[in-house]
Amino acid sequence: MSDAAPEPRANMGLPLKRMDARRKVTGEARYAADLPVGNLAYGVLVTSRIARGRIKSFDLGEAHAVPGLLDIFTYENASGLKAQRLGNAATSVMPLNSPQIWYDGQIIALVVANTLEAAEEAAFKLRVDYDAENPSATFDSPGVEVIPALGNTDRHKEDPKVGDAEAAFAAAPVKIDAVYTTPTEHHNAIELFSTTCAWTNDELTVNDPSQFVYGWKNGVARELGIDPAKVRVVAPYVGGAFGSKGPLTPRTAIVALAAKKLNRPIRCVATRDQGFTTVTYRAETRHHIRMGADPTGKILAFLQESEELTSRPDNYVVGGTDTTARMYGYGSVLTKVNLVKADRGTPAYMRSPPEFPYMYALESAMDELAVALKMDPIEFRRKNDTKTEPIKGRPYTSRSLVECYGEAARAFGWEKRDPNIGAMRDGDWLVGWGCATACYPTHTGAATARIRLTSDGLVRIQTAAHDVGTGAYTVIGQMASERLGVPFEKVTAELGDSALPPAPVAGGSNTTASVCSTVLKGCNEIRGKLFAAVASAKGPLAGRGPGDLDLRDGKVVGSDGAAVPFADAFKALGSSVIEEYVEFFPEGGSPDDVRKLYAGQLALRGGSAGEKMMYAFGAELVEVRINARTREIRVPRIVGAFAAGRIMNTRTARSQLMGGMIWGISSALHEKTDVDLHTARYVNRDIAEYHVPVNADIRELTVILVPETDNEVNPAGVKGLGELGNVGTAAAVQSAVYHATGKRIRSIPIRIDDLIGA
Ligand code: MOS
């Protein structure tokens, strides 16, 4: 065991190495744009240089003269793809259907040539004349439209509230009132966004890094107006996802349409800067929070009024008040979410879409109120912890927040914290310690799988789930290895292909919960068949009931140690293989969820939607050091303790949480896409100027896995933790900066210039 492979504690699986580790480090794992395809043509996207208006005309003469050019697809010759509803796709705009421009960087043409160089040259020579209008860029820009989320999107079902929060706030003896903002952020996964489309007669194969091959299969078919049975989407490896490859974007069907028209396979790799405008991003948010408490630190009122940016055509919302309104035992709650519509692309998912920005605001406010109360910020959270949510009084299935704070505080040495501002100064360094709560809803969805066990003890699992770098191959294999009593090395898993039985989107941190529950169910069916076979045959286990039997080390074993090797058990069964196709749906669901899954529609359950609250929790404690002379901000150490039900594999779990915390530090100190207010254009559209942390930015990072057993969330008992780690981090850093300097920086990222004069 090591830091990277923590010793399993109660209800945790072994830190087995990733099934795909060797494939990845040797380059054997082929990503979508690596796959060899014969007779390939190359596509290059051309995107709009205005944010609002219309295309007046194209001048394609020079572009068409480039040797090797095959064709140029624009709204003039390639319209007719069917636009989708937001939700079924990342946007309701199908850009080649009209000359209308909704935002800067919108796709306006696909140039296809025999070589990438020719396509790039022709794209460069394509001329566009626009009728441009003045765009609205962001919050407070002239011309934005502000509408309530409630009633304008079915994704925001309520503005949670309880009691008379205004009156309680007015009467509260201790209170704070502040505005917090989070910026535009873009994914910048290492793997670029690519699409390769190849037709064989009327059948289409799409290689595209995707978090949801069934969603894309069905979506592309709808956009093209063809039978989904004719479309196959393949994505066995995905190089960075976290929402950026979740919803279907228009480029896939555009490339498919062009490939059909040219009768050639086409590969199109969006450039790094096109990744800022042709796929999903996190929109800026702004939160007005008022909170009041009694002198003992009991919260009396919590009011959060939030704004999120969205596009003109689509009312996208993340609506994190769903979570924040229920986080603590507040006496009264008032929340509201408004959408601000501007001339921007439709935002979409990015790691912890609602929880990241909304919890940043709440946890920052919690720190401010703790300071106002002269109370330790961890003690303040303990004081207001609750086992039932305050809006409707529903219980959490499990909630180990206080335990997480306890373990994190011990590991961090929190008791040595001097609460006075700047009191922990160390020479030239101003030292601050801060903390915040992490949380993420537990989602479980319907899933299916085919599981095969052979008489020689080999297991194969097939399911169209996705390993987006998270360890899905490994934990899915691990569940089968445990239940079928075969060594992990004997298990293979095939994922990421719509030719396999469907599984949900690799989103909402549901994959481990959903698919491990499915594999568990399928393995139990296989066990039942083997148990029945040995019980009904002659031999040492004849007549035994299933409760007395187990599978271990390639044998059926009885509680007294009597055993029948698989070879004999299969002989008794009269077959050399058992293959189970299994369908699973979570409690509260129905077989209809499976039918919808086949059609590429999602029905994730859990979180705050049901009769009980299902959430994972964590506590993050950070130290920041700010150089007194240069204001350089460092995070020398961070400790996170997390409880997320059953941990399938402590290595992959730690890795996810570590990545989340690094992303959290990144959001606190580095990441921001700047929007030019005049042109509504992203300014820093590359990874030179879009800042992310490098190794030198991350020092001591400790992940503690806190034991927790929750048998209610799903049969696997798994809460999921892919998105848990980056929630709260930014608030913890912000609080630590305050503790070090006395300066409250309520807009992230916090940068050196914010601290000049501090
Ligand atoms: Mo995640 S943003 O649900 O891929």
Side-chain angles (χ1 to χ4, degrees):
M1 302 289 161
S2 68
D3 264 11
E7 186 89 50
R9 298 165 71 186
N11 200 28
M12 295 182 194
L14 291 172
L16 298 181
K17 291 183 183 156
R18 286 159 190 265
M19 199 185 273
D20 49 339
R22 183 174 296 272
R23 277 175 265 160
K24 283 193 168 164
V25 297
T26 57
E28 188 191 331
R30 299 289 180 99
Y31 290 78
D34 302 334
L35 290 163
V37 175
N39 193 31
L40 198 57
Y42 295 84
V44 167
L45 297 171
V46 180
T47 58
S48 167
R49 293 176 183 218
I50 65 162
R52 180 182 168 110
R54 296 172 74 79
I55 298 166
K56 203 157 39 173
S57 62
F58 285 106
D59 177 355
L60 306 181
E62 260 193 273
H64 269 296
V66 172
L69 182 90
L70 294 169
D71 208 346
I72 298 171
F73 298 91
T74 69
Y75 79 92
E76 291 176 332
N77 64 352
S79 64
L81 290 170
K82 291 187 186 63
Q84 301 299 299
R85 269 189 333 115
L86 178 68
N88 283 339
T91 167
S92 65
V93 172
M94 184 47 80
L96 296 195
N97 279 356
S98 101
Q100 174 119 22
I101 302 296
W102 295 99
Y103 65 97
D104 181 81
Q106 174 184 319
I107 296 171
I108 57 170
L110 176 71
V111 177
V112 186
N114 282 323
T115 63
L116 177 60
E117 292 75 12
E120 282 177 343
E121 186 182 347
F124 180 72
K125 289 181 167 167
L126 181 150
R127 299 274 169 270
V128 195
D129 202 8
Y130 299 99
D131 271 329
E133 295 168 37
N134 285 334
S136 309
T138 183
F139 294 154
D140 308 323
S141 292
V144 294
E145 187 192 351
V146 182
I147 59 171
L150 197 64
N152 284 303
T153 161
D154 53 15
R155 291 219 188 171
H156 189 71
K157 294 191 172 56
E158 62 165 333
D159 283 326
K161 57 168 89 58
V162 68
D164 188 346
E166 289 283 2
F169 177 74
V174 185
K175 55 184 126 182
I176 60 113
D177 181 331
V179 175
Y180 305 90
T181 68
T182 66
T184 314
E185 293 179 355
H186 281 85
H187 283 272
N188 284 297
I190 294 299
E191 182 193 25
L192 294 170
F193 300 96
S194 78
T195 302
T196 305
C197 290
W199 291 84
T200 308
N201 301 320
D202 62 346
E203 298 194 349
L204 170 66
T205 301
V206 180
N207 290 105
D208 202 324
S210 169
Q211 292 171 242
F212 191 22
V213 289
Y214 265 79
W216 291 28
K217 164 197 169 89
N218 285 277
V220 168
R222 277 194 306 271
E223 288 173 345
L224 291 164
I226 63 173
D227 179 357
K230 303 286 190 192
V231 181
R232 179 178 175 196
V233 179
V234 186
Y237 303 102
V238 178
F242 291 112
S244 67
K245 294 155 183 167
L248 180 68
T249 64
R251 73 175 198 279
T252 306
I254 291 171
V255 174
L257 179 78
K260 183 81 183 163
K261 290 199 174 188
L262 290 172
N263 195 25
R264 276 239 347 233
I266 297 176
R267 173 162 295 159
C268 173
V269 182
T271 58
R272 177 62 61 187
D273 75 310
Q274 287 172 345
F276 279 75
T277 63
T278 59
V279 295
T280 74
Y281 71 100
R282 194 196 302 280
E284 53 270 44
T285 68
R286 182 159 66 187
H287 311 267
H288 179 203
I289 293 198
R290 288 175 287 161
M291 204 166 2
D294 72 17
T296 72
K298 195 84 200 98
I299 300 172
L300 302 171
F302 168 62
L303 301 88
Q304 179 170 18
E305 290 151 284
S306 298
E307 292 167 291
E308 304 178 16
L309 191 107
T310 189
S311 66
R312 295 284 185 197
D314 293 317
N315 295 338
Y316 176 81
V317 67
V318 297
T321 47
D322 210 31
T323 290
T324 54
R326 300 179 168 93
M327 191 47 45
Y328 298 106
Y330 319 110
S332 60
V333 176
L334 180 77
T335 64
K336 180 162 173 68
V337 175
N338 276 334
L339 298 177
V340 177
K341 292 167 78 69
D343 299 297
R344 296 270 299 281
T346 302
Y349 310 109
M350 188 159 166
R351 199 173 198 172
S352 322
E355 283 70 26
F356 163 74
Y358 282 72
M359 285 294 286
Y360 163 70
L362 168 58
E363 289 301 297
S364 294
M366 288 293 284
D367 193 70
E368 297 209 39
L369 192 50
V371 168
L373 287 158
K374 299 190 170 52
M375 209 169 159
D376 176 83
I378 294 182
E379 186 47 37
F380 181 47
R381 278 140 175 123
R382 275 201 196 101
K383 172 106 189 166
N384 290 285
D385 187 48
T386 180
K387 300 289 182 199
T388 57
E389 55 93 3
I391 307 293
K392 295 181 193 134
R394 292 169 299 164
Y396 283 88
T397 54
S398 59
R399 173 170 163 129
S400 307
L401 178 62
V402 169
E403 290 78 0
C404 290
Y405 270 113
E407 291 214 22
R410 265 194 300 285
F412 192 87
W414 185 262
E415 79 285 352
K416 294 197 275 294
R417 183 178 187 265
D418 182 333
N420 295 308
I421 303 298
M424 297 178 73
R425 182 169 179 151
D426 178 7
D428 267 354
W429 294 92
L430 308 174
V431 178
W433 290 2
C435 67
T437 297
C439 70
Y440 196 77
T442 299
H443 294 129
T444 312
T448 70
R450 205 157 38 230
I451 304 165
R452 178 187 164 101
L453 172 68
T454 61
S455 57
D456 47 1
L458 296 176
V459 174
R460 184 186 69 191
I461 304 152
Q462 295 174 308
T463 174
H466 313 79
D467 191 323
V468 296
T470 42
Y473 280 107
T474 311
V475 297
I476 288 167
Q478 215 164 337
M479 177 58 92
S481 159
E482 284 170 22
R483 294 304 292 163
L484 297 178
V486 303
F488 180 65
E489 299 71 38
K490 301 273 185 185
V491 182
T492 56
E494 295 172 20
L495 311 181
D497 185 337
S498 69
L500 303 173
V505 66
S509 300
N510 88 90
T511 293
T512 305
S514 308
V515 182
C516 286
S517 292
T518 308
V519 171
L520 173 65
K521 183 178 175 190
C523 290
N524 285 345
E525 285 170 21
I526 293 174
R527 287 162 66 92
K529 286 189 179 169
L530 280 178
F531 294 165
V534 296
S536 60
K538 286 198 197 96
L541 298 175
R544 304 277 184 111
D548 185 48
L549 297 171
D550 197 2
L551 300 185
R552 271 203 307 272
D553 306 324
K555 291 183 238 138
V556 187
V557 292
S559 54
D560 59 352
V564 172
F566 278 0
D568 295 338
F570 276 85
K571 214 171 279 167
L573 191 71
S575 170
S576 62
V577 57
I578 303 176
E579 186 166 272
E580 284 294 322
Y581 163 77
V582 58
E583 294 186 348
F584 161 82
F585 54 85
E587 209 178 299
S590 73
D592 204 42
D593 291 0
V594 177
R595 194 187 54 75
K596 284 193 181 134
L597 183 66
Y598 268 94
Q601 287 158 17
L602 266 184
L604 294 182
R605 296 176 188 278
S608 63
E611 278 166 18
K612 288 192 177 180
M613 298 286 289
M614 299 180 180
Y615 272 74
F617 288 92
E620 297 189 20
L621 276 50
V622 303
E623 175 174 320
V624 303
R625 288 182 167 239
I626 295 158
N627 189 285
R629 298 169 197 277
T630 65
R631 304 289 144 176
E632 172 187 345
I633 311 165
R634 291 273 153 202
V635 180
R637 60 196 187 105
I638 176 165
V639 173
F642 305 92
R646 163 106 179 139
I647 302 297
M648 287 299 300
N649 178 317
T650 57
R651 179 196 302 271
T652 56
R654 172 188 175 272
S655 177
Q656 283 302 292
L657 293 163
M658 173 179 68
M661 288 158 73
I662 293 171
W663 199 330
I665 292 171
S666 179
S667 68
L669 300 176
H670 303 267
E671 284 188 62
K672 180 188 187 193
T673 316
D674 282 301
V675 188
D676 182 281
L677 294 180
H678 184 64
T679 59
R681 175 179 302 155
Y682 298 131
V683 179
N684 49 336
R685 305 196 275 196
D686 54 59
I687 41 179
E689 298 202 42
Y690 185 90
H691 295 167
V692 295
V694 297
N695 280 358
D697 293 306
I698 306 302
R699 312 302 294 186
E700 202 182 304
L701 187 153
T702 306
V703 174
I704 300 168
L705 299 168
V706 176
E708 182 181 73
T709 299
D710 188 326
N711 295 320
E712 293 183 75
V713 280
N714 49 58
V718 166
K719 284 187 171 176
L721 40 69
E723 289 164 281
L724 177 59
N726 73 323
V727 178
T729 326
V733 172
Q734 183 277 121
S735 305
V737 167
Y738 174 79
H739 181 223
T741 64
K743 207 162 175 190
R744 207 45 102 167
I745 315 296
R746 299 188 179 91
S747 292
I748 48 171
I750 299 170
R751 290 187 172 157
I752 289 175
D753 21 333
D754 294 313
L755 295 175
I756 291 172

